[in-house]
């Protein structure tokens, strides 16, 4: 059949539209996102028991235990990306302990492919979901928060030794949680552009800098604090300091 | 549970009868009966894919646990040093082997073992099966090399048939023996103490017990951080300040890490009232002595756990507080567990 000039133009347009970066023909399907948890003390990797660290307060310390709970992850979709499913959200709760390498990663399967601008999560467990007995796995992990101090579950157990103001060895036990029935969990929002491709895995490293718990914006000296599970003022201080603790590692 | 065990014994008896006088080197007919113990009061029963629990396996393990055939002079069984009335611990500070040789550590309780990631005071055995391998040939314990134990079992009138029922083979091996013992031990579950009944709403604490619980869950005493969860143990290793310089290096012998020197696993406090003496070396004859240690006796040892270092030398309990704490600890005594006939010697 002889094609008219118009038909030729139409054919050319259709052909051109079929090649290159047309989103309507881009591969679809979900991918996987793996969150790797990494812990540091300033510029040093955190090593249990043997590492020696100094924070901006001047506390020289070692760490014997670090474990924490994060929950309710979300990946905000890039605004420019047109996609029907929008942000990715999960109600998953994750217990991370440095004593078990198996807890160093958290996998999200079936994440819609596309571009994302970052991630958000709750440090700890939102108060509405943090009642005694509601997370049996955390019970078995020893993260239960006593009923007499409000019930629910710890957000974090950070324990170790430090050299106190008398140059003796003392200990710190920073236990964060729903002290006296109050909700000290907080939202973490981390900006980080990433892409999820169909059938592929994207790995993101979430880094906790433990030094930041004790310096920013409030200086928190181990010498001035004993156990704090029943200390709402200390919980409030550390909740505020938590805003700068997490980052996405390059 | 009792009716299941009776059914298992019946199944075993049938299998054994079928095995007499016949070629029973192959698998038993019918196969073993899988089951999962009720753990509603605790946590979901962990999977054991390498040694699935069966009624026949548990029955066989119970038989072996109580049978002195596994000792050199046929005088001692596992139950000789792990007495049910003592929550399967030993009332002696150190158990005595068949030759009268004392051990070096107090025999621990055997309770709620499925959730434990390792065994022995320093955690040198990674599975219950591996733990069961050690006492039989140990010269200061049962003193019977496995190469001698297996032929005894194979020559026994009943064991080949019981092994056939449990594992589909009459070829008895060390692996199968420890698997059976481990299966039995995994059924030693304690979840019916007064504490459990209170948690279920079936009972209430006395005022004294309630005060004791408050102390137990306080940061002043710090009991709950190590002896927490429904299992009353965190299964981890701690130096609890018994000595300024620990003579027994404990966990360090397993990991070779100096920071593990003097650390021992947290024992479960379930049935603690009946499982004296206490600590890895049985140094405390009474619970009162234990409470005194945590009240004023915590030593400044190099690897003292931070949870105890922050309260050292201790919680400074008053006399009434000691009584309250003792009252609470007694609510962890489970008479059902201590007298359950399914755990005792087979009839």
């Amino acid at each position: 059949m002889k094609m008219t000039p118009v038909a030729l133009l139409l054919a050319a347009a259709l052909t051109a539209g079929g090649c290159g970066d047309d989103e309507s023909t881009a591969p679809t399907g979900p991918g996987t996102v793996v969150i790797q948890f990494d812990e540091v003390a300033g510029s040093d990797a955190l090593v249990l028991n043997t590492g020696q660290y100094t924070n901006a307060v001047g506390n020289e310390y070692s760490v014997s235990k670090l474990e924490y709970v994060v929950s309710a992850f979300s990946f905000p979709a890039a605004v420019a990306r047109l996609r029907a499913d929008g942000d990715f959200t999960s109600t998953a709760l994750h217990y991370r302990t440095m004593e078990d390498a198996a807890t160093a990663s958290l996998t999200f399967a079936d994440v819609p492919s596309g571009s994302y601008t970052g991630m958000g999560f709750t440090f700890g467990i939102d108060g509405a979901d943090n009642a005694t007995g509601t997370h049996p796995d955390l019970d078995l992990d020893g993260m239960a928060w006593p009923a007499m101090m409000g019930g629910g579950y710890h957000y974090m157990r950070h324990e170790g030794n430090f050299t106190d103001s008398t140059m003796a060895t003392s200990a710190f036990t920073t236990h964060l949680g729903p002290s006296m029935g109050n909700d000290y969990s907080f939202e973490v929002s981390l900006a980080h552009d990433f892409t999820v491709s169909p059938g592929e895995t994207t790995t993101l490293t979430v880094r906790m800098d433990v030094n930041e718990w004790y310096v920013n914006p409030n200086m928190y000296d181990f010498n001035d604090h004993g156990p704090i599970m029943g200390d709402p003022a200390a919980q409030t201080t550390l909740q505020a300091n938590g805003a700068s603790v997490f980052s996405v590692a390059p | 549970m009792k009716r299941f065990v009776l059914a298992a014994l019946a199944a075993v008896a049938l299998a054994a009868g079928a095995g007499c006088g016949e070629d029973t080197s192959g698998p038993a007919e019918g196969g073993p009966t899988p089951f999962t113990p009720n753990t509603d009061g605790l946590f979901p029963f962990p999977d054991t894919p390498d040694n699935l629990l069966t009624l026949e396996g548990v029955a066989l393990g119970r038989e072996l646990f109580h049978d002195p055939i596994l000792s050199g002079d046929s005088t001692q069984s596992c139950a000789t040093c792990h007495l049910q009335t003592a929550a399967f611990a030993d009332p002696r500070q150190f158990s005595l082997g068949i030759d009268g040789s004392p051990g070096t550590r107090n025999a621990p309780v055997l309770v709620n073992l499925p959730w434990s990631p390792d065994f022995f005071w320093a955690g040198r055995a990674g599975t219950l099966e591996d733990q069961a391998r050690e006492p039989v040939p140990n010269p200061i314990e049962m003193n019977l090399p496995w190469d001698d134990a297996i032929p005894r079992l194979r020559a026994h009138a009943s064991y080949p048939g019981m092994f056939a029922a449990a594992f589909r083979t009459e070829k008895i091996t060390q692996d199968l023996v420890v698997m059976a013992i481990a299966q039995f031990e995994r059924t030693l579950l304690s979840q019916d103490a007064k504490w459990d009944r209170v948690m279920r709403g079936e009972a209430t604490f006395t005022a004294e017990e309630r005060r004791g619980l408050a102390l137990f869950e306080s940061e002043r005493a710090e009991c709950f951080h190590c002896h927490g969860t429904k299992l009353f143990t965190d299964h981890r290793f701690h130096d609890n300040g018994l000595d300024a310089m620990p003579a027994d290096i404990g966990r360090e012998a397993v990991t070779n890490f100096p920071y593990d020197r003097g650390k021992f696993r947290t024992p479960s406090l379930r049935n603690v009232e009946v499982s004296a003496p206490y600590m890895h070396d049985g140094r405390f004859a009474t619970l009162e002595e234990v409470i005194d240690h945590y009240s004023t006796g915590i030593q400044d040892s190099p690897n003292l756990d931070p949870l105890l270092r922050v309260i050292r030398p201790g919680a400074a309990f008053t006399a009434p507080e000691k009584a309250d704490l003792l009252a609470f600890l007694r609510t962890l005594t489970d008479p059902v567990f201590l007298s359950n006939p399914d755990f005792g010697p087979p009839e």
Side-chain angles (χ1 to χ4, degrees):
Chain A
M1 182 178 97
K2 184 178 179 179
M3 294 186 79
T4 66
V6 173
L8 283 169
L9 283 172
L10 281 173
L14 284 169
T15 304
C19 301
D21 200 17
D22 182 348
E23 292 185 358
S24 66
T25 59
T28 59
T32 298
V33 174
V34 174
I35 305 294
Q36 286 287 344
F37 295 97
D38 178 46
E39 294 84 12
V40 301
S43 59
D44 298 319
L46 194 64
V47 178
L48 292 183
N49 298 304
T50 57
Q52 296 291 325
Y53 310 102
T54 304
N55 61 24
V57 179
N59 292 146
E60 298 175 358
Y61 69 97
S62 61
V63 179
S64 59
K65 180 186 291 292
L66 176 60
E67 45 197 44
Y68 53 95
V69 176
V70 290
S71 59
F73 273 79
S74 64
F75 306 136
V79 173
R81 174 79 180 181
L82 294 176
R83 195 176 64 254
D85 17 39
D87 296 350
F88 172 83
T89 61
S90 168
T91 59
L93 179 154
H94 185 69
Y95 163 71
R96 161 67 177 148
T97 174
M98 288 191 68
E99 296 170 46
D100 183 357
T103 68
S105 65
L106 171 63
T107 298
F108 294 102
D110 297 324
V111 179
S113 56
S115 300
Y116 295 88
T117 60
M119 76 174 76
F121 58 87
T122 300
F123 175 75
I125 306 171
D126 182 84
D129 189 35
N130 195 359
T132 297
T134 54
H135 300 286
D137 287 347
L138 290 182
D139 282 310
L140 187 56
D141 293 328
M143 293 296 275
W145 191 272
M148 63 177 280
M149 284 189 271
Y153 299 92
H154 285 73
Y155 310 155
M156 183 174 81
R157 294 179 58 173
H158 182 212
E159 301 167 8
N161 293 318
F162 73 102
T163 303
D164 68 21
S165 54
T166 70
M167 302 308 292
T169 299
S170 288
F172 66 92
T173 55
T174 303
H175 288 198
L176 304 182
S179 175
M180 311 315 289
N182 299 310
D183 184 3
Y184 295 102
S185 67
F186 57 88
E187 301 305 310
V188 178
S189 181
L190 302 174
H192 181 79
D193 293 334
F194 66 97
T195 301
V196 176
S197 300
E200 296 184 12
T201 298
T202 301
T203 300
L204 304 171
T205 299
V206 172
R207 175 167 289 165
M208 173 191 281
D209 182 350
V210 296
N211 280 351
E212 286 292 308
W213 282 114
Y214 304 109
V215 298
N216 185 16
N218 305 296
M219 299 294 265
Y220 181 102
D221 190 331
F222 291 148
N223 284 286
D224 298 333
H225 297 276
I228 61 168
M229 290 178 67
D231 186 345
Q235 298 284 330
T236 300
T237 295
L238 295 173
Q239 179 191 40
N241 286 0
S244 60
V245 167
F246 292 97
S247 63
V248 178
Chain B
M1 176 66 184
K2 185 173 184 178
R3 62 182 185 277
F4 287 113
V5 174
L6 288 173
L9 287 172
V12 165
L14 283 171
C20 294
E22 298 179 356
D23 178 11
T24 55
S25 58
E29 293 183 5
T33 313
F35 89 102
T36 302
N38 182 321
T39 59
D40 288 349
L42 298 167
F43 297 104
F45 193 83
D47 291 332
T48 53
D50 295 332
N51 188 12
L52 296 175
L53 250 65
T54 67
L55 297 177
E56 294 83 357
V58 170
L60 172 59
R62 177 186 175 193
E63 192 79 39
L64 291 166
F65 187 90
H66 290 279
D67 197 336
I69 195 175
L70 290 177
S71 60
D73 62 358
S74 299
T75 61
Q76 281 195 0
S77 67
C78 309
T80 303
C81 303
H82 291 282
L83 284 71
Q84 184 175 1
T85 53
F88 293 98
D90 194 336
R92 298 168 293 187
Q93 182 179 15
F94 301 121
S95 305
L96 300 178
I98 63 170
D99 300 324
S101 303
T104 57
R105 293 177 184 159
N106 179 246
V109 299
L110 304 181
V111 59
N112 296 339
L113 299 174
W115 297 273
S116 186
D118 38 44
F119 304 91
F120 291 114
W121 279 104
R124 70 175 183 271
T127 65
L128 260 178
E129 289 79 356
D130 283 343
Q131 188 283 327
R133 294 183 200 281
E134 293 200 21
V136 172
N138 191 332
I140 65 170
E141 296 188 58
M142 300 163 83
N143 200 13
L144 180 66
W146 280 109
D147 287 346
D148 296 329
I150 301 306
R152 283 191 188 182
L153 296 174
R154 288 179 178 172
H156 192 275
S158 302
Y159 277 121
M162 293 185 74
F163 275 86
F167 298 113
R168 300 174 183 264
T169 178
E170 285 191 359
K171 186 179 179 185
I172 300 172
T173 63
Q174 180 190 153
D175 283 350
L176 294 182
V177 171
V178 298
M179 286 170 68
I181 293 174
Q183 285 196 32
F184 167 67
E185 290 177 326
R186 289 189 174 107
T187 67
L188 303 179
L189 302 171
S190 178
Q191 50 189 332
D192 255 313
K194 180 175 182 179
W195 183 88
D196 297 289
R197 287 181 278 112
V198 171
M199 293 301 114
R200 295 195 298 259
E202 300 167 6
T204 55
F205 286 130
T206 64
E208 194 179 33
E209 292 163 351
R210 203 173 306 116
R211 291 193 300 268
L213 171 59
L215 286 169
F216 188 88
E217 291 190 338
S218 70
E219 284 190 293
R220 177 182 158 206
E222 286 288 6
C223 313
F224 73 104
H225 273 130
C226 296
H227 290 286
T229 85
K230 301 174 189 178
L231 305 175
F232 288 89
T233 169
D234 63 356
H235 296 306
R236 296 181 185 180
F237 301 90
H238 305 278
D239 180 334
N240 62 341
L242 292 174
D243 302 298
M245 292 301 294
D248 188 332
I249 66 173
R251 183 68 173 162
E252 184 186 10
V254 176
T255 66
N256 293 315
F257 294 138
Y259 57 75
D260 279 338
R261 173 167 294 198
K263 293 183 182 179
F264 297 90
R265 70 170 27 263
T266 308
S268 172
L269 293 185
R270 282 188 171 272
N271 301 289
V272 69
E273 179 183 12
V274 300
S275 64
Y278 306 104
M279 302 297 159
H280 65 280
D281 55 4
R283 64 176 62 190
F284 295 139
T286 65
L287 271 179
E288 286 83 350
E289 290 176 55
V290 174
I291 292 173
D292 283 343
H293 167 72
Y294 289 111
S295 182
T296 56
I298 299 174
Q299 301 299 304
D300 186 12
S301 57
N303 294 319
L304 178 64
D305 196 283
L307 291 167
L308 296 179
R309 192 181 291 282
V310 294
I311 67 169
R312 191 181 67 85
F317 296 123
T318 63
E321 287 176 333
K322 291 180 182 179
D324 291 341
L325 190 52
L326 199 54
F328 169 70
L329 292 175
R330 289 184 175 135
T331 70
L332 305 181
T333 303
D334 180 354
V336 174
F337 175 81
L338 296 173
S339 63
N340 190 336
D342 294 342
F343 301 157
E347 294 175 1

